[in-house]
Amino acid sequence: MAGLWVFGYGSLVSPVSFGHTLGRDLVPGVDFFEAELDGYGRRWNYGTDVTFTAVGPDGVERHDWIFVALGLVRAGDESTNGVIGWVDDAELVALDRRESRYDRVDVTEIVTLPPAASPAVGDAPVVTYVPRAEPIAAYEDARARGVAAITMRYWDLVDEAFADLGTDRRDRYRATTPDPDIPVLVLADADVPERHRGRRR
């Protein structure tokens, strides 16, 4: 079956979130493996087109918070830990729709895989999603206006996904991801996309 591997570094590290978009379960060790991407750094820099309601650090409820997610930036001296998942051509349409404001970039030559993954991956290409200029500008604008924020559910989803790979993987994710310069806020479940509804702590 034609397809490719997608490197995930944020919510796609969760096989549940990744699989929700594909409409099937991803199986670690079969079509889902750990991986490392060289030459890119992870950042809280992706301004979505999603707004939500939450109480801010000042105790005031706002209805126009801009949801900010993780993105990548070119950084020659950095590397990013994550996963790769197999996506066939039909599923790629759904994933591209989910990541519609990212560019799909071929990173085959700069991804490092564990030995166990090599036979499964073979010669298939590996891609990842890098934010376009527009969502980065949207994040910067929302931050300047004081309405940019990360949802606690998204924050926990990513953190728990790395923890499921191993405590050392989570520690590395935390150590290599600069702290956000915007708040992390709790919101109602009704405002959370289903793919972001990881398990509660």
Side-chain angles (χ1 to χ4, degrees):
M1 182 181 297
L4 45 71
W5 295 88
V6 173
F7 176 82
Y9 53 89
S11 61
L12 292 182
V13 175
S14 163
V16 174
S17 181
F18 202 151
H20 178 264
T21 299
L22 305 185
R24 63 175 172 85
D25 293 335
L26 285 161
V27 182
V30 176
D31 58 3
F32 188 80
F33 298 93
E34 291 186 55
E36 186 86 16
L37 178 65
D38 293 327
Y40 283 90
R42 187 169 26 225
R43 301 288 189 272
W44 293 101
N45 69 348
Y46 179 87
T48 72
D49 55 3
V50 175
T51 59
F52 64 92
T53 301
V55 176
D58 58 0
V60 177
E61 182 176 274
R62 297 186 63 117
H63 302 277
D64 59 347
W65 292 103
I66 301 295
F67 172 42
V68 173
L70 285 164
L72 290 176
V73 297
R74 273 286 194 180
D77 60 345
E78 294 185 44
S79 62
T80 299
N81 62 324
V83 300
I84 58 169
W86 176 254
V87 179
D88 69 30
D89 287 348
E91 294 167 338
L92 189 59
V93 175
L95 193 58
D96 280 348
R97 187 180 305 116
R98 166 175 170 168
E99 312 293 351
S100 62
R101 301 210 303 163
Y102 293 81
D103 285 325
R104 177 160 36 95
V105 177
D106 190 308
V107 292
T108 306
E109 300 301 320
I110 55 175
V111 165
T112 302
L113 306 172
S118 297
V121 174
D123 296 328
V126 182
V127 302
T128 195
Y129 289 95
V130 178
R132 295 174 181 164
E134 293 83 2
I136 294 176
Y139 149 70
E140 292 172 346
D141 175 70
R143 179 186 60 186
R145 292 187 291 115
V147 296
I150 303 159
T151 68
M152 183 64 73
R153 294 301 293 266
Y154 181 85
W155 178 276
D156 284 346
L157 172 69
V158 177
D159 198 69
E160 290 165 359
F162 277 101
D164 287 343
L165 297 177
T167 302
D168 58 333
R169 274 68 162 185
R170 181 181 62 186
D171 291 346
R172 185 154 186 279
Y173 155 68
R174 291 177 174 178
T176 59
T177 307
D179 291 338
D181 53 7
I182 55 176
V184 181
L185 303 177
V186 176
L187 70 165
D189 279 353
D191 283 343
V192 184
E194 187 176 349
R195 67 177 184 270
H196 292 166
R197 297 183 187 183
R199 65 181 185 276
R200 289 186 183 274
R201 286 185 171 175

